[in-house]
Amino acid sequence: MKLEDGGRLRALVVEDEWPARNYLVELLHGTGLAEVIGAVGDIESAREAMRIESPGFGLDVVFVDVQFAGDGDEAGLDLVRSMTPGPRSPAVVLATAFERHALEAFDLGVIDYLLKPFTEERVLQCLLRVRERRASLFPPGSSPPPSGPSRIVARRKNRLVFLDAPEIWAFEAADRLTFVHTVHGTFDIDLSLSAIEASFGHAFARVHRNWLVNAAAVKELERDGNETHLFVGLGLRDEGNGVRVPVARDRAQAIREMLLANTAGLRRM
């Protein structure tokens, strides 16, 4: 199922709990009505994503939790209060475990209120509601907001290098700089990992606080005791044409399950 104007809703998910964030992303993609262009785990990353990509992001809807560890019990509501209302602003959906914020949420113009645990049917209903809102704002023949970026621009000395997502293996944050590792070499970029995750979040998986990887380019998963590494590149690690990436311990199991999804050949225990 697709939108009548030929495109899917572009969504940003703001949720600090890794399992809940991943599950909501899966449900949204599963409807066929939405493309999650970013999934971030804290309020500052959400603000940065919307600040860097606006105007012209083409963002249709933001799913926001209410409580964030370290940010306060109403950090999500504070984010919604800070958003500038307008016809080209994204719709807001609160996705939370608490019912008590519903009245204020709708006073703030929130279009829907999703209670955890999320279900496929409820998420679908929510997206249909967002689609109706979008259709009323941008009827046939009008111009919707432009879509987000499709390429990464990087630096090498005095040159700018333009990269498509399939050419990229991983992004690394180190020493207050961000690097992009690609089939063509390693380059500097001016975006933070949070901004990249917000713009290209579905294509690149956060495996470590300092690393995003192109899941389609992962060739090996290696476990050595409590340590997990990925090899991302054109071939296997022994061939040397790629980059070895650490996986955070609290994300190792989820990353393994993500990589094994839609695969065959391994006996599952």
Side-chain angles (χ1 to χ4, degrees):
M1 187 184 299
K2 293 185 178 180
L3 295 173
E4 293 180 358
D5 66 6
R8 292 181 294 172
L9 294 167
R10 295 170 59 83
L12 173 68
V13 174
V14 187
E15 163 66 62
D16 64 337
E17 295 181 358
W18 169 267
R21 185 164 70 246
N22 278 3
Y23 185 53
L24 181 53
V25 168
E26 290 177 6
L27 290 178
L28 290 168
H29 278 284
T31 66
L33 296 179
E35 174 188 7
V36 179
I37 51 78
V40 297
D42 60 85
I43 296 298
E44 183 56 36
S45 295
R47 293 186 192 279
E48 182 180 8
M50 289 187 283
R51 180 172 63 247
I52 289 175
E53 302 296 348
S54 180
F57 191 16
L59 184 62
D60 298 306
V61 57
V62 181
F63 290 82
V64 186
D65 195 1
V66 173
Q67 293 188 1
F68 286 78
D71 288 326
D73 290 345
E74 295 190 0
L77 288 175
D78 290 338
L79 176 65
V80 176
R81 295 184 190 107
S82 70
M83 295 174 65
T84 303
R88 292 186 177 270
S89 298
V92 176
V93 175
L94 279 190
T96 177
F98 305 99
E99 298 181 6
R100 63 179 179 269
H101 304 289
L103 184 60
E104 182 179 1
F106 287 111
D107 286 342
L108 291 171
V110 169
I111 194 171
D112 207 344
Y113 198 93
L114 286 181
L115 283 174
K116 299 176 182 178
F118 310 126
T119 65
E120 295 179 11
E121 181 179 0
R122 187 65 184 86
V123 169
L124 176 60
Q125 291 174 351
C126 174
L127 290 176
L128 290 173
R129 182 174 297 178
V130 175
R131 185 172 73 163
E132 290 176 1
R133 172 189 181 272
R134 186 176 186 275
S136 68
L137 294 174
F138 304 103
S142 66
S143 299
S147 61
S150 60
R151 305 176 82 192
I152 286 286
V153 58
R155 300 178 183 273
R156 173 171 281 179
K157 297 182 179 179
N158 62 343
R159 289 180 290 161
L160 295 180
V161 180
F162 298 90
L163 302 164
D164 295 318
E167 300 176 291
I168 297 170
W169 295 335
F171 295 94
E172 177 188 9
D175 299 325
R176 298 186 180 181
L177 299 174
T178 307
F179 302 97
V180 54
H181 299 272
T182 80
V183 64
H184 308 294
T186 299
F187 309 94
D188 303 337
I189 58 173
D190 294 338
L191 295 175
S192 68
L193 292 188
S194 294
I196 296 165
E197 194 174 21
S199 295
F200 301 90
H202 188 56
F204 298 95
R206 175 81 74 154
V207 300
H208 188 280
R209 64 187 179 89
N210 293 331
W211 286 89
L212 290 171
V213 302
N214 183 347
V218 173
K219 298 300 182 184
E220 293 186 14
L221 184 149
E222 173 189 359
R223 281 183 169 178
D224 183 7
N226 292 326
E227 303 297 325
T228 301
H229 287 83
L230 302 176
F231 188 77
V232 190
L234 290 181
L236 301 182
R237 181 183 172 191
D238 294 342
E239 299 167 7
N241 197 5
V243 59
R244 190 168 182 251
V245 177
V247 178
R249 291 184 183 182
D250 63 340
R251 299 190 178 189
Q253 185 60 34
I255 294 300
R256 185 177 189 272
E257 292 175 359
M258 177 194 73
L259 293 172
L260 288 175
N262 301 317
T263 64
L266 181 69
R267 182 181 292 114
R268 311 293 173 86
M269 301 301 292

